Amino acid sequence: MTMPRKPPRGAARLGAPDDPFWERQEARLSGRLGQPCCTLSGMCTLLGRMGGDFAVIIHGERDCGNSFVHHTADSAHQFFCTCLTEDQVTAGRVDAPLERCLRLVLEELAPEAILVLGTCPITMIGVDPGPVVERVAASTETPIVLLRTGGLKLSTQSDMVDWLYASLAGLPQRAPDPEAWRLQVASRLKETVAELLSEGTLAPDEVRADVERALEVPPASRCVNLIGLPALGVRASELEPALRSAGIHVRGLYPFEADLRGWRSITHAAVNVVADRRLYPRLLKLLETQHAMPTVEVPLPIGLGQSVRFYRAIGDFFDATDVLDRALASIREAAQAQVDAFRARTASTRVAMGIRMLNNYQVDQLAYEGLGDVEALSELGFHLTLLVQGPPEQRARFEEMLSDLGVDLPFYVFPNPWNLAPLLAEGDYQVALLADHSWEEAQKAGVPMIRSRALAPLLAGVEPNLNLLTELLRAAQGEPGRDR
Amino acid sequence: MKPPSAQLEPFALRAHHYGRITGISMLVHAIPDAFLLLHTGVGCKYKAAAQLSVHDWARQPHRREGWTEVGDAALIRGAAERIGPYVRSWYDRQKPELMIVCSASHLELSGEDIAGAVRAANATVPCPVRYVHGLGFAGDLYDGFGAALSTVLDTIPWGEVAPEKDHVAVVGYPFDRYEADHSANLHQLRILLAELGKELVAVLPSGQPLARLAAAARAESLLVLPYAHALAGPLATSLAASAASGGRRVVEVGLPVGLRFTSIWLDQVARGLGVDPRRAAKAARRLSGYADRELNLLRTRLQGRRSAVFADTPLAAGLVDLLTQLDLPPALVGLRDRSLGGAPALREALARADVALRPDTVVLEDPSVRTAGAHLRDGVQQGRFQAVLGSASELGALLRGGVRGLNTGPSPEHRLAAIVHGFPSSGYHALQSQPTYGYGGALTVAQRILDGLFSGQE
């Protein structure tokens, strides 16, 4: 065989003749800042982390079951795959394995619900699993939901999470989730114990009264669902005691704490408090129209200003603004003093914030197009620059997207995370908020880094966030050999 | 939780549910100047670097991976035409020395000439560009790893470099992260070969750039590990066909894991390379004697205990040998591969080493997460074993089952040593030399078991 003649090393840009291809290609860039995703991968990832008695059936080839990181998935043992062979797919004989798998899962495991997920090979051959699913569903009371997922139709992460959560909330609703109630009781009892230990002034009758109140089931009219808040730090914050002082109770934190039963009792609350309602069009339409639940939109409660607005929105809905204000006064004032002092010390610090770098389906990352931390950083007086991962030739398009979101910050567009080090070094940033996989690039550039969305939420998060930033700024100043 | 019935088991997610694409990605990750272009759906990206990213703390695998961004519209227009522009674009950005283009099942089903598109792209960039299919209907990680490795073997200049006496290369080493467990294994291979008067000039792959791997051409002998046994025949044929390749020997060997299997390995290598087997036997006696004395400190304290081990078949054989020698015989063995022989190969290998599984030992082939988890939890709760060696998948299935008192038992008799090894190891990382191979590896694994069982009991 004659070896092809190849261009020499060191040749000029070899891809130059492809410019027309790239111009056509980039027209597919979606109107959102998130990275494209496979709905199968995304849903498997999120369902793998979710608790509850459900089963997932991936209808496709065996390796489709490998399109999510399963070894860290708590519910991996509830996943099944029809493991279609090449012969079955090419001949279109794919219904029988699905029916057999569905019936075996129902018979042996009797889960509370089954989700059947589609794959690229099924999309490719144009077979509709709907009739099989309907046939099996007709023979059981277990809800079976078919989601025609796959990677061929490039979806946004936002669309995928909304589709999944709307599907879960759309399952037949049940009585409130005992797990959510247990968490609530535990939280109240912890508060009583903390008060006993710290003050030591509670009389036995007061302890008894506290415990009795803790065991009361609050009416749905005083319950709130919190949707899209960060995964960590909410329960440990001032949130629940503050709301309780106004007679408001947290029914559930969605999606991070919600298991299957949590989704199947989401309607047992007065209101859905949502960080970025644009993320959940299907879910909110379902809750608003079919269950007459109103929505209150809030900012991602990171930093002082956003946390204050978060509470104000809830207070306004329940007509409890004054009570909440009083309950929060001391912690809010302390946070304000801390922010003022920090701002005086660190004015004009140059901070880089990476966006569009992750495909991890976390709603707090996706909220407000990944810009949920911007205000928290801006209120500290930082000079913030956005680093947007994407095709640099589409800069104008990103500018338009940011402008639509009311963001007027300097920004750079970089094609992949491995171009970050020079960009970080050139920008002379003192701190960077980046996706967790960027530590190597940040280290190369000598820029101390915080993982995206590592800032703690709510007023209780203000002090630890400032401490973290203070440490990083110290590191930036003291880092030997940093090329500045 | 019960294990699923025999009817449901084939549908359940496997404990080691990795296919060819993961193996191809693993091979590319092991060569720092190679690049993987995924001509796949967007979700297939999760089969590649994402699976390795938590396993390797030392080097991010994503940095050497791209995707042709195929969606439905591209597929309708013809997706193979995308390969050329993406190959050239990534070449311009990263200047790799080797590019591997990997496809997925649904794109293969489209009937497009993907191999042809890769050949055409190959002519437009200076480095070799090779095609490896990523069909996901069957096959496993080791199939993909082997297929991608064969493209690397094709780049070695066998005909341009004369083989040198006593120089040896090892083919098919499962290098999956740039951490000190692997550098330690490579060191063990080097010292074992030195005992036979041989110099190890290259290990494919071993975290070395392609130019360093080309040193394999200087080897007069190629030792092929089990992960590449399928390549040994074609390699020998191809080398034999080339007069310029100078009559290199290709020798299939096992894994030097566990005391007996390491001694067997030395013997296999000696015989295959024409070294007097008495020399291997002498080295084995000396080195295993030393290791055995050290292991005896632990052995005398393990009486009555048993173990569970999950590994691919060749590695499982070595670990069963070691655990048996430690008087910690396995009560449960899980084989994670689908292409390396399974239970028959395990029993055959053990018979060669004169190691026997106890009659009550359960052997699971390619178990599901559900089955692995159920067997592990039952075994721990019923006290059938006190040490478990497995990857994060199997140990995760055990730990997520909520076994109470794990590693917090009131006395050493109630302790469980949960030893993470192999891929994926999300929580176990090696900052310093921690081999599994060779006599040194036997001591290291034993040390980890000792720590797991007895540390904290002071």
Side-chain angles (χ1 to χ4, degrees):
Chain A
M1 189 177 75
T2 318
M3 292 302 285
R5 181 191 284 176
K6 294 171 71 85
R9 289 175 194 276
R13 194 177 145 237
L14 296 168
D18 301 320
D19 285 345
F21 169 86
W22 293 113
E23 281 162 24
R24 288 197 307 275
Q25 159 74 2
E26 294 309 336
R28 65 163 193 88
L29 190 71
S30 76
R32 289 209 168 158
L33 287 175
Q35 288 199 3
C37 84
C38 163
T39 44
L40 171 74
S41 274
M43 289 197 189
C44 286
T45 303
L46 295 172
L47 290 167
R49 292 173 191 154
M50 192 177 93
D53 182 14
F54 61 91
V56 176
I57 297 177
I58 298 166
H59 187 31
E61 61 176 331
R62 177 174 169 133
D63 211 22
C64 290
N66 186 23
S67 56
F68 69 114
V69 178
H70 27 75
H71 75 268
T72 55
D74 286 342
S75 295
H77 62 286
Q78 299 175 162
F79 277 68
F80 299 84
C81 177
T82 50
C83 295
L84 301 173
T85 64
E86 188 168 4
D87 284 350
Q88 286 170 331
V89 171
T90 49
R93 289 184 285 105
V94 297
D95 286 351
L98 175 60
E99 181 159 355
R100 183 167 167 71
C101 184
L102 269 167
R103 293 199 186 279
L104 283 167
V105 167
L106 279 166
E107 191 180 304
E108 284 191 29
L109 308 178
E112 284 182 25
I114 300 177
L115 292 102
V116 177
L117 304 181
T119 59
C120 294
I122 291 296
T123 312
M124 184 80 188
I125 61 173
V127 169
D128 179 14
V132 175
V133 170
E134 283 165 23
R135 189 162 60 241
V136 178
S139 65
T140 175
E141 294 192 350
T142 304
I144 304 176
V145 180
L146 169 64
L147 300 169
R148 292 177 173 84
T149 52
L152 274 174
K153 181 166 172 48
L154 295 180
S155 173
T156 63
Q157 295 177 70
S158 315
D159 289 342
M160 183 277 296
V161 296
D162 180 41
W163 183 17
L164 174 63
Y165 296 145
S167 304
L168 292 170
L171 289 166
Q173 288 285 299
R174 301 168 49 135
D177 173 22
E179 178 62 11
W181 182 73
R182 194 188 64 75
L183 283 172
Q184 194 177 300
V185 171
S187 160
R188 291 203 62 169
L189 294 178
K190 263 164 57 182
E191 280 167 40
T192 306
V193 170
E195 202 176 336
L196 261 175
L197 293 176
S198 64
E199 306 282 337
T201 54
L202 281 182
D205 282 352
E206 289 172 307
V207 174
R208 186 180 305 120
D210 264 8
V211 170
E212 281 170 2
R213 273 197 302 275
L215 295 172
E216 281 170 15
V217 179
S221 60
R222 299 302 293 176
C223 288
V224 56
N225 291 326
L226 299 174
I227 301 178
L229 266 57
L232 298 175
V234 173
R235 291 273 181 204
S237 75
E238 77 287 352
L239 176 94
E240 285 180 279
L243 292 184
R244 208 172 295 126
S245 70
I248 304 165
H249 303 268
V250 176
R251 171 70 76 199
L253 288 171
Y254 294 88
F256 293 115
E257 281 189 5
D259 60 9
L260 182 69
R261 290 189 173 187
W263 286 107
R264 296 188 68 179
S265 59
I266 191 171
T267 55
H268 296 273
V271 62
N272 295 306
V273 170
V274 179
D276 193 359
R277 69 168 298 146
R278 285 200 334 162
L279 259 183
Y280 311 98
R282 293 189 206 203
L283 174 64
L284 295 180
K285 185 177 174 197
L286 174 88
L287 296 174
E288 286 168 354
T289 58
Q290 288 189 28
H291 299 284
M293 294 179 77
T295 302
V296 169
E297 185 168 27
V298 291
L300 200 65
I302 310 294
L304 178 60
Q306 297 192 122
S307 298
V308 167
R309 293 213 309 283
F310 167 82
Y311 283 116
R312 193 151 296 151
I314 297 175
D316 286 349
F317 178 83
F318 285 99
D319 200 15
T321 310
D322 292 344
V323 188
L324 265 182
D325 268 356
R326 280 196 298 279
L328 293 164
S330 63
I331 189 169
R332 188 181 58 239
E333 282 157 19
Q336 181 70 60
Q338 286 155 356
V339 167
D340 291 345
F342 183 89
R343 194 181 166 107
R345 285 199 313 273
T346 61
S348 308
T349 297
R350 291 179 59 76
V351 175
M353 179 175 161
I355 60 169
R356 211 174 177 268
M357 298 184 71
L358 282 165
N359 215 345
N360 64 3
Y361 321 118
Q362 301 291 295
V363 288
D364 58 336
Q365 297 268 9
L366 297 170
Y368 299 106
E369 306 284 3
L371 299 166
D373 288 329
V374 163
E375 186 177 325
L377 297 169
S378 299
E379 73 187 7
L380 300 175
F382 289 159
H383 286 188
L384 194 57
T385 300
L386 298 178
L387 307 180
V388 182
Q389 188 184 332
E393 57 271 34
Q394 289 297 312
R395 187 186 157 82
R397 186 131 187 196
F398 287 120
E399 192 164 12
E400 197 182 312
M401 292 180 200
L402 290 169
S403 170
D404 287 349
L405 290 162
V407 176
D408 180 25
L409 291 169
F411 73 97
Y412 293 95
V413 183
F414 64 101
N416 65 64
W418 329 118
N419 306 118
L420 260 182
L423 199 58
L424 288 169
E426 281 163 25
D428 198 25
Y429 303 108
Q430 285 148 289
V431 174
L433 268 83
L434 300 169
D436 51 3
H437 55 67
S438 309
W439 62 267
E440 211 176 321
E441 293 295 298
Q443 209 167 37
K444 268 193 229 161
V447 178
M449 174 189 138
I450 313 176
R451 251 182 324 108
S452 298
R453 287 289 329 103
L455 294 179
L458 298 158
L459 295 171
V462 170
E463 185 176 4
N465 291 343
L466 297 181
N467 290 342
L468 174 64
L469 289 164
T470 302
E471 283 304 311
L472 288 175
L473 289 171
R474 271 196 205 126
Q477 284 155 6
E479 179 118 351
R482 186 178 168 213
D483 185 12
R484 296 177 60 86
Chain B
M1 183 176 61
K2 288 190 310 183
S5 68
Q7 291 77 33
L8 184 56
E9 172 70 3
F11 293 112
L13 192 78
R14 316 324 287 170
H16 208 62
H17 201 107
Y18 302 105
R20 284 175 62 93
I21 293 177
T22 308
I24 296 164
S25 171
M26 191 176 276
L27 185 280
V28 172
H29 179 55
I31 303 173
D33 50 1
F35 186 87
L36 175 63
L37 181 63
L38 294 164
H39 183 55
T40 63
V42 59
C44 298
K45 291 202 286 181
Y46 271 83
K47 302 170 186 172
Q51 299 287 1
L52 289 161
S53 61
V54 291
H55 177 70
D56 189 351
W57 278 6
R59 185 184 285 261
Q60 265 295 331
H62 291 99
R63 61 169 46 228
R64 310 296 294 186
E65 179 184 295
W67 170 52
T68 57
E69 302 184 88
V70 181
D72 48 2
L75 194 56
I76 290 162
R77 283 198 300 267
E81 66 164 30
R82 308 172 73 76
I83 291 170
Y86 278 86
V87 161
R88 289 183 284 277
S89 168
W90 279 109
Y91 182 84
D92 283 338
R93 285 177 194 170
Q94 298 217 349
K95 305 283 188 291
E97 293 297 325
L98 169 69
M99 299 181 90
I100 290 180
V101 180
C102 160
S103 63
S105 301
H106 64 286
L107 293 175
E108 293 286 346
L109 287 176
S110 73
E112 282 197 283
D113 183 9
I114 297 171
V118 175
R119 274 197 304 276
N122 175 51
T124 63
V125 294
C127 74
V129 184
R130 297 290 181 264
Y131 160 67
V132 182
H133 81 75
L135 284 171
F137 297 110
D140 64 7
L141 176 155
Y142 306 98
D143 284 323
F145 181 84
L149 178 59
S150 75
T151 70
V152 176
L153 290 172
D154 287 345
T155 70
I156 306 294
W158 305 112
E160 297 166 25
V161 180
E164 295 177 34
K165 188 172 181 310
D166 292 332
H167 284 197
V168 173
V170 170
V171 177
Y173 177 73
F175 188 95
D176 55 28
R177 63 179 181 182
Y178 291 74
E179 294 189 17
D181 43 359
H182 281 301
S183 51
N185 279 346
L186 297 173
H187 181 66
Q188 290 292 322
L189 288 173
R190 191 168 297 115
I191 58 176
L192 288 173
L193 287 168
E195 289 289 338
L196 303 178
K198 302 294 177 185
E199 185 183 346
L200 181 61
V201 292
V203 178
L204 283 78
S206 52
Q208 296 292 330
L210 203 66
R212 295 283 293 277
L213 299 185
R218 285 171 32 221
E220 65 167 357
S221 307
L222 304 171
L223 301 178
V224 182
L225 298 182
Y227 307 103
H229 276 183
L231 305 180
L235 181 61
T237 308
S238 133
L239 291 177
S242 162
S245 69
R248 291 181 182 87
R249 271 181 294 227
V250 177
V251 181
E252 288 184 34
V253 293
L255 290 187
V257 173
L259 297 189
R260 291 187 197 196
F261 277 101
T262 301
S263 299
I264 288 172
W265 192 86
L266 277 171
D267 182 65
Q268 281 180 323
V269 173
R271 291 175 193 275
L273 272 50
V275 177
D276 183 347
R278 285 173 299 182
R279 182 173 179 173
K282 192 175 168 191
R285 268 197 307 277
R286 179 169 50 82
L287 295 171
S288 70
Y290 164 74
D292 201 45
R293 276 194 299 280
E294 299 297 321
L295 293 180
N296 205 37
L297 297 178
L298 177 59
R299 185 184 292 128
T300 54
R301 288 163 176 78
L302 290 177
Q303 280 179 349
R305 287 188 174 86
R306 296 189 68 179
S307 57
V309 58
F310 283 78
D312 56 72
T313 302
L315 182 59
L319 292 173
V320 168
D321 164 29
L322 173 62
L323 292 164
T324 305
Q325 295 236 346
L326 274 175
D327 211 1
L328 195 60
L332 173 66
V333 179
L335 303 175
R336 295 200 297 236
D337 56 282
R338 301 192 290 283
S339 64
L340 298 171
L346 174 74
R347 292 186 194 280
E348 193 185 314
L350 292 175
R352 271 202 310 277
D354 203 18
V355 177
L357 290 170
R358 297 270 177 96
D360 63 349
T361 301
V362 174
V363 178
L364 303 172
E365 290 183 281
D366 186 26
S368 66
V369 181
R370 219 176 164 85
T371 292
H375 278 270
L376 283 169
R377 273 194 298 282
D378 282 356
V380 170
Q381 280 163 343
Q382 292 168 19
R384 283 207 300 274
F385 39 77
Q386 291 73 33
V388 178
L389 286 78
S391 75
S393 295
E394 295 90 15
L395 291 177
L398 168 65
L399 298 173
R400 281 191 291 274
V403 177
R404 289 188 183 278
L406 192 67
N407 275 356
T408 57
S411 66
E413 288 71 33
H414 294 90
R415 296 278 299 239
L416 175 75
I419 312 296
V420 182
H421 76 97
F423 171 79
S425 293
S426 45
Y428 165 63
H429 295 272
L431 302 179
Q432 63 161 7
S433 176
Q434 296 196 52
T436 307
Y437 282 20
Y439 301 107
L443 288 172
T444 304
V445 174
Q447 177 71 56
R448 293 185 67 203
I449 293 170
L450 186 157
D451 291 344
L453 283 173
F454 297 101
S455 172
Q457 294 297 312
E458 294 80 359

